[in-house]
């Protein structure tokens, strides 16, 4: 038996309609992972509806995620693959992309399969070009600059061998490697 002051654990039709519309809006603006959509709907539902129970929030978020899958707008595997390709093209290492996918709530096996396609060497050359390191350097190399550039590669998740190879690479070879990797 339930008294009139306690809301039921099932959300009202208005709440369910709001969750569906909110999912449409969010998924129409950008790709989301299942976890991102679930968290966003949960957070906004608590802000929008007074006296909403945790059970109602969970039902609303679950219904939004289910709706996202029903309309094929939510797919963690596709999200991971797209993020991996984009990360590599922007100079992010396999390790950095994997960490980002993990933070976004993508399952480990899904993330591992997606980052397996990343070519760390190509991504490191892209980073070198963006930061004017190695063959793209505009100033002469000294010990301080070499340490700075190797440190930047390490912070970006690249191994010492990749950083060292790129720092000693001639510009022609780096440009050839970039041109060869443009199909990603």
């Amino acid at each position: 038996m339930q008294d009139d002051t306690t809301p039921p654990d099932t959300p009202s039709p208005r709440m369910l309609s709001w969750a569906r519309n909110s999912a449409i809006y969010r998924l129409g603006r950008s790709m989301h992972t299942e976890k991102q959509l679930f968290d966003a709907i949960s957070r906004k539902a608590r802000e929008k509806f007074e006296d909403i129970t945790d059970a109602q929030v969970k039902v609303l978020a679950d219904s939004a995620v289910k709706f996202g899958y029903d309309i094929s707008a939510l797919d963690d595997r596709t999200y991971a693959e797209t993020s991996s390709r984009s990360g590599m093209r922007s100079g992010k290492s396999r390790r950095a992309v994997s960490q980002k996918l993990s933070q976004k709530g993508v399952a480990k096996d899904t993330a591992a399969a997606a980052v397996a396609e990343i070519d760390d060497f190509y991504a490191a050359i892209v980073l070198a070009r963006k930061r004017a390191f190695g063959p793209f350097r505009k100033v002469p190399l000294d010990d301080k600059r070499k340490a700075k550039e190797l440190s930047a590669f390490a912070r970006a998740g690249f191994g010492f061998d990749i950083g060292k190879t790129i720092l000693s690479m001639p510009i022609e070879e780096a440009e050839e490697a970039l041109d060869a990797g443009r199909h990603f």
Side-chain angles (χ1 to χ4, degrees):
M1 183 162 168
Q2 186 174 348
D3 62 19
D4 291 336
T5 60
T6 307
D9 284 343
T10 57
S12 68
R14 178 176 165 259
M15 290 177 172
L16 289 169
S17 177
W18 169 84
R20 180 180 169 274
N21 291 338
S22 185
I24 290 170
Y25 173 76
R26 290 175 188 293
L27 293 171
R29 289 181 55 93
S30 65
M31 288 183 74
H32 283 63
T33 64
E34 182 177 326
K35 181 184 183 302
Q36 286 177 308
L37 183 61
F38 185 93
D39 291 348
I41 297 295
S42 296
R43 184 181 65 253
K44 287 296 186 179
R46 290 183 202 289
E47 292 174 10
K48 181 162 181 64
F49 302 108
E50 292 181 16
D51 301 327
I52 190 168
T53 66
D54 289 341
Q56 287 174 321
V57 169
K58 183 172 179 355
V59 170
L60 288 177
D62 285 338
S63 71
V65 167
K66 181 185 178 311
F67 177 74
Y69 278 115
D70 289 347
I71 64 170
S72 300
L74 193 63
D75 182 4
D76 281 359
R77 184 184 55 77
T78 303
Y79 180 90
E81 290 171 357
T82 303
S83 294
S84 294
R85 282 191 304 273
S86 175
M88 181 180 62
R89 285 191 311 266
S90 64
K92 296 198 179 359
S93 69
R94 183 178 290 151
R95 186 178 302 148
V97 171
S98 180
Q99 183 177 20
K100 189 70 155 178
L101 290 173
S102 177
Q103 290 172 351
K104 300 283 186 179
V106 175
K108 285 188 188 277
D109 58 335
T110 305
V115 299
E117 303 293 320
I118 291 180
D119 180 1
D120 266 352
F121 188 73
Y122 174 78
I125 293 174
V126 171
L127 178 67
R129 183 183 60 196
K130 284 172 73 172
R131 303 278 308 268
F133 287 167
F136 305 99
R137 187 181 316 106
K138 307 254 189 290
V139 295
L141 181 64
D142 58 8
D143 287 342
K144 184 177 177 183
R145 177 158 302 282
K146 183 177 182 179
K148 175 185 174 184
E149 291 179 11
L150 284 172
S151 296
F153 281 119
R155 282 191 305 274
F158 297 107
F160 178 75
D161 292 339
I162 289 177
K164 191 173 176 183
T165 301
I166 291 174
L167 290 182
S168 63
M169 177 182 278
I171 184 79
E172 297 80 19
E173 190 179 329
E175 288 174 347
E176 285 176 24
L178 284 173
D179 288 340
R182 297 239 189 265
H183 68 278
F184 292 113

